[in-house]
């Protein structure tokens, strides 16, 4: 079976705070930044994003 060259591949971890992802012939390097002063957990942020989407009727 032939492979689809445009398929999204699983992200690969690089150094702390970044990862790379290949889509087709393009490799994207994604940097992640978290504020040291933030009191929100990832769960808090995700819940807030989902609630905002429902309120905006963007689901």
């Amino acid at each position: 079976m032939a492979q689809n060259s445009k398929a999204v591949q699983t992200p690969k971890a690089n150094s702390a705070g970044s990862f790379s992802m290949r889509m087709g012939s393009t490799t994207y390097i994604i940097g992640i930044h978290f504020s040291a002063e933030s009191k929100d957990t990832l769960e808090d942020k995700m819940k807030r994003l989902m609630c905002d989407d429902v309120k905006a009727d963007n689901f």
Side-chain angles (χ1 to χ4, degrees):
M1 183 187 305
Q3 288 183 340
N4 183 354
S5 63
K6 295 189 181 211
V8 176
Q9 296 179 0
T10 305
K12 297 177 182 172
N14 288 336
S15 62
S18 69
F19 63 92
S20 65
M21 185 175 197
R22 187 172 179 92
M23 294 177 69
S25 62
T26 305
T27 300
Y28 297 91
I29 299 173
I30 297 96
I32 302 168
H33 171 73
F34 295 99
S35 172
E37 290 87 33
S38 177
K39 303 289 185 220
D40 291 340
T41 65
L42 178 59
E43 182 178 356
D44 295 335
K45 291 175 191 282
M46 295 302 295
K47 283 180 181 178
R48 186 173 60 245
L49 288 171
M50 288 186 277
C51 287
D52 290 348
D53 275 351
V54 169
K55 287 178 186 174
D57 205 25
N58 290 332
F59 52 94

